[in-house]
Amino acid sequence: MASPDQDLVPVLDKDGVRLTVDDAIATVTLTNPDKRNAQSPALWRALTEAGRQLPGSVRVVVLRAEGKSFSAGLDRQAFTPEGFDGEPSFIDLARGSDAELDATIAEYQEAFTWWRRSDIVSVAAVQGHAIGAGFQLALACDLRVVADDVQFAMRETSLGLVPDLTGTHPLVGLVGYARALEICATGRFVTADEAVSTGLANVAVPAGQLDDTVRDLTAALLAAPRDAVIETKALLRGAQDRTYEEQRGAERQAQARRLRDLAGVGD
């Protein structure tokens, strides 16, 4: 798949991650198609760094991947006794204290948390396999546009592990507890049709139309005033944790802020 940001100077380009910025649009690209964009701690640190380097002008972040697969998940080298060069192996991690293990996983999770910041809207463009950590990375984004060949799967449970890269919360929120449990416990593939029908994906298109569809969606997201989008996103993100009456109050408060801002009246 050709890169739509190939003519831009990268802000960051290392460890399988490239960040480019074009005014209000940032593109984060996974750049190791030969390994189906398998993930590692180094890649997670690069993703975390990409989030920290976003300029304040950015309103939409597009996450995409080179090659036929979005991400095949965690690089299997992590399961070997040697692990990755310069990194503790999983065996080493398991031998550490509870506090050390918790801190390490928390560091890994940072690569998956910033995509839902209130000041941006993130869009994952997903083709081919998105397995395990790849599935969770797609789930980290606000929106998902998928190619019709997409195959989501959460394989951690079949390996004797659990999904721990922040994917469980959005998965349950999107498809409900029962379906989320079934998807995780069986490790089965979720195809494009099911992804759209269950809310995992916003839309599915032929693979050749993926970039154009994301480009059109990005333009539509940028059409509305930034502050209105930020307030609306915050309202919707908090809705599931509020009662109906609390949500009514949150709507009133948000609208009051918008009206005062538009009228140039201070609080």
Side-chain angles (χ1 to χ4, degrees):
M1 183 178 295
S3 174
D5 62 340
Q6 58 190 358
D7 295 329
L8 300 173
V9 177
V11 176
L12 177 146
D13 193 357
K14 68 178 184 179
D15 296 321
V17 174
R18 181 173 62 244
L19 167 66
T20 58
V21 177
D22 185 5
D23 193 19
I25 304 169
T27 302
V28 177
T29 305
L30 305 183
T31 61
N32 193 2
D34 291 342
K35 296 194 72 172
R36 296 196 299 163
N37 297 304
Q39 298 183 31
S40 67
L43 180 140
W44 295 334
R45 284 193 290 272
L47 285 174
T48 299
E49 186 177 345
R52 292 172 179 164
Q53 291 197 23
L54 289 182
S57 61
V58 170
R59 293 183 54 188
V60 176
V61 180
V62 175
L63 170 64
R64 59 182 307 280
E66 294 179 348
K68 295 182 178 180
S69 291
F70 178 76
S71 175
L74 183 62
D75 191 321
R76 291 304 180 95
Q77 188 174 338
F79 297 101
T80 65
E82 299 79 17
F84 301 101
D85 289 342
E87 304 280 353
S89 69
F90 276 18
I91 294 174
D92 293 331
L93 291 176
R95 289 171 176 161
S97 68
D98 289 347
E100 291 170 336
L101 186 54
D102 184 80
T104 299
I105 296 174
E107 179 187 353
Y108 295 163
Q109 289 176 331
E110 290 182 15
F112 297 76
T113 59
W114 61 266
W115 303 89
R116 294 193 175 223
R117 279 171 24 187
S118 61
D119 60 326
I120 60 173
V121 176
S122 54
V123 181
V126 189
Q127 78 280 2
H129 292 95
I131 298 173
F135 191 3
Q136 293 187 79
L137 186 56
L139 285 167
C141 292
D142 295 307
L143 309 174
R144 279 154 296 284
V145 178
V146 302
D148 55 10
D149 67 348
V150 77
Q151 295 187 72
F152 291 113
M154 203 73 83
R155 292 292 175 83
E156 287 82 354
T157 307
S158 63
L159 297 172
L161 302 170
V162 300
D164 67 337
L165 297 172
T166 78
T168 57
H169 188 277
L171 182 62
V172 171
L174 289 166
V175 306
Y177 160 75
R179 190 179 293 267
L181 175 60
E182 181 253 332
I183 288 171
C184 292
T186 65
R188 69 173 177 85
F189 286 116
V190 177
T191 60
D193 288 344
E194 182 181 354
V196 173
S197 67
T198 59
L200 269 176
N202 295 81
V203 64
V205 297
Q209 299 177 19
L210 187 60
D211 286 336
D212 287 342
T213 302
V214 171
R215 191 176 296 110
D216 290 344
L217 175 58
T218 299
L221 292 169
L222 293 174
R226 179 173 194 161
D227 289 344
V229 174
I230 290 173
E231 290 277 12
T232 300
K233 179 176 178 178
L235 268 177
L236 296 174
R237 285 292 309 279
Q240 65 184 20
D241 296 321
R242 301 188 188 105
T243 66
Y244 178 75
E245 290 302 323
E246 289 170 343
Q247 186 69 3
R248 286 181 62 205
E251 289 176 358
R252 294 194 300 271
Q253 293 168 14
Q255 193 70 304
R257 287 191 294 270
R258 296 304 312 128
L259 289 170
R260 290 192 181 103
D261 184 64
L262 291 173
V265 178
D267 292 336

